[in-house]
Amino acid sequence: MIFFLLGCGIAGYYFYEESVTNAAIRSFEQGENLAEKGDYEAAQKKFIESQQTRSRFPAAETNEDMMETAITVEKNLRKSEQERQKDNYQEALDLVNLAEEKAASYNGPLFTHIHKNIASKRTTVMVSELKYDMKGKESITDLKPVLTRAETLEVDEAQEIAEQIRSQIVDFSINEANQFLKENHFTKALRSVEEGLQMNKNNEKLLNLQNIINNRKEAFEAEQQQRIEQAMVAAAKEDEMNRTNAIELTEVKTNVTEYNELEVTGTVTSNATVPVNSIGASYTVFDSNGKEFDTGEVYINPDTLYPEDSGKFDFMIYDVGENVENLDEFTIKIDHFTWYLD
């Protein structure tokens, strides 16, 4: 009877322990299923329940610690999303990095989903920052670093942003080059196009504009050379005129005074394009028979004539002699002028 009772007791204890172990395992398995679904708080409760059911359950204890970490990581990721929505991108990235540090020591199926979430959140924050940073940029210089960051992110959305930035850079290059082209600043215009081509080397619009600028530059330089040559010819003609035909006689008059003297007055005009000074007029006086009677030189007043200015001269023929007749028929010829250029 004693052995029978002892056997029943041992069997009962065995079945009790087995039922406890099975209950703990069920809670453990439920916790794993919940963890795989991402419900870490519910999973943690199941792992705690499993330990309470079976006190010595190292796997349940380990998984409980993992769920505590997972819950902390999820909280950091939620805070990161809140900061991202406020455009606080650096704070959002700091929280993602903190979550990554927490999860770094855990691997395996339970944390595979968490690691993916962390990577996804980091990409989301960085892409959002790219979109934010590309707004309001007004120069290629401002867009370059944004493009570099976009190209380093190997996700489709980042590459789409990179393509948008390249298109924006093309527009900036074209607008800037056109402004320089209007002012005939061909070197600066070409530099703007080349800056755009560095990031869009096969862009048809930029390549076409580059050809246009080069063609206009050649045409402008040819016109400039032609103008220079024409200016040199004109300058040579002007210099020749200033040296050979600067002074024009506009009027000369003779008058016999009451003292039987011949008074000569005249006016000249400057055809020069620069001031002339010390102007002298060489003259010859002919008598009524056409014979040379006197020669000399007289100076123009004022001493300096500016372009299109007029000057005057006058002189007297004295001592013509008692035998001279018809003094009023004497004539004056201005042989030539002399002058100096300023």
Side-chain angles (χ1 to χ4, degrees):
M1 191 66 180
I2 292 172
F3 285 110
F4 175 74
L5 293 173
L6 181 61
C8 289
I10 292 173
Y13 177 77
Y14 173 78
F15 287 117
Y16 169 76
E17 288 295 322
E18 186 177 17
S19 65
V20 169
T21 300
N22 288 336
I25 292 174
R26 281 196 300 272
S27 296
F28 182 84
E29 290 175 346
Q30 290 172 356
E32 285 188 326
N33 290 331
L34 290 168
E36 289 176 0
K37 295 176 181 178
D39 192 349
Y40 304 119
E41 292 184 1
Q44 185 183 38
K45 290 178 181 178
K46 286 296 180 182
F47 292 133
I48 292 172
E49 181 182 310
S50 180
Q51 292 177 76
Q52 291 172 345
T53 305
R54 172 61 66 193
S55 58
R56 290 187 177 183
F57 205 152
E61 184 178 352
T62 299
N63 282 5
E64 181 194 350
D65 292 339
M66 291 173 64
M67 292 305 100
E68 183 66 31
T69 300
I71 291 168
T72 302
V73 167
E74 287 294 304
K75 286 181 179 179
N76 286 334
L77 293 181
R78 285 195 295 271
K79 290 179 181 179
S80 173
E81 176 61 20
Q82 292 171 358
E83 295 297 332
R84 183 190 72 82
Q85 292 178 359
K86 297 176 184 177
D87 297 329
N88 298 329
Y89 300 106
Q90 188 56 55
E91 290 82 352
L93 282 175
D94 289 342
L95 287 165
V96 172
N97 292 334
L98 183 61
E100 187 175 45
E101 290 175 8
K102 289 284 185 181
S105 58
Y106 293 101
N107 290 307
L110 290 180
F111 263 76
T112 299
H113 181 68
I114 292 175
H115 288 305
K116 287 181 179 179
N117 277 350
I118 292 171
S120 175
K121 182 58 65 179
R122 174 177 283 105
T123 299
T124 299
V125 172
M126 295 179 75
V127 168
S128 297
E129 186 178 17
L130 286 173
K131 290 180 178 179
Y132 179 84
D133 286 346
M134 70 180 289
K135 295 177 181 178
K137 295 295 185 289
E138 297 180 355
S139 70
I140 297 174
T141 303
D142 292 337
L143 282 173
K144 274 184 177 180
V146 185
L147 177 61
T148 300
R149 283 160 45 208
E151 290 175 336
T152 58
L153 287 178
E154 297 180 356
V155 293
D156 292 341
E157 193 171 0
Q159 296 309 308
E160 290 174 4
I161 292 174
E163 192 59 35
Q164 290 176 11
I165 295 174
R166 290 189 193 97
S167 298
Q168 200 168 345
I169 287 174
V170 169
D171 293 337
F172 282 168
S173 295
I174 291 173
N175 292 336
E176 189 176 78
N178 283 332
Q179 289 299 320
F180 287 130
L181 193 57
K182 289 179 182 178
E183 300 171 0
N184 293 326
H185 294 163
F186 301 106
T187 301
K188 292 182 179 180
L190 286 171
R191 191 180 298 123
S192 297
V193 172
E194 288 165 2
E195 194 172 9
L197 285 171
Q198 288 176 1
M199 283 151 276
N200 301 270
K201 62 180 180 179
N202 296 319
N203 186 269
E204 187 175 348
K205 290 181 179 179
L206 290 176
L207 292 172
N208 182 55
L209 182 56
Q210 188 179 49
N211 289 331
I212 291 173
I213 294 171
N214 282 322
N215 291 337
R216 291 193 182 181
K217 180 183 178 184
E218 292 176 3
F220 180 81
E221 289 174 348
E223 290 176 2
Q224 284 286 83
Q225 184 61 35
Q226 186 178 3
R227 282 194 289 269
I228 290 171
E229 292 173 357
Q230 290 173 347
M232 290 174 65
V233 171
K237 290 180 179 180
E238 179 181 306
D239 184 66
E240 182 181 5
M241 187 272 294
N242 289 338
R243 294 183 182 280
T244 60
N245 196 31
I247 303 301
E248 178 185 358
L249 179 67
T250 53
E251 183 182 47
V252 63
K253 293 181 180 180
T254 59
N255 179 48
V256 180
T257 69
E258 59 181 329
Y259 301 105
N260 203 34
E261 296 167 341
L262 185 65
E263 180 184 28
V264 181
T265 59
T267 304
V268 299
T269 301
S270 173
N271 292 326
T273 57
V274 295
V276 294
N277 59 69
S278 303
I279 305 166
S282 297
Y283 62 86
T284 302
V285 181
F286 297 93
D287 62 17
S288 58
N289 296 318
K291 292 181 180 181
E292 184 179 299
F293 179 81
D294 191 18
T295 61
E297 186 177 11
V298 65
Y299 289 95
I300 309 301
N301 184 47
D303 179 66
T304 300
L305 294 183
Y306 293 90
E308 299 183 3
D309 278 358
S310 294
K312 296 182 178 181
F313 64 88
D314 62 86
F315 59 93
M316 302 287 288
I317 301 296
Y318 301 101
D319 301 327
V320 294
E322 297 179 357
N323 298 325
V324 173
E325 299 178 356
N326 301 324
L327 186 59
D328 57 350
E329 294 181 7
F330 276 44
T331 57
I332 305 299
K333 178 183 178 183
I334 303 299
D335 298 319
H336 63 274
F337 294 99
T338 59
W339 62 88
Y340 291 95
L341 302 175
D342 281 357

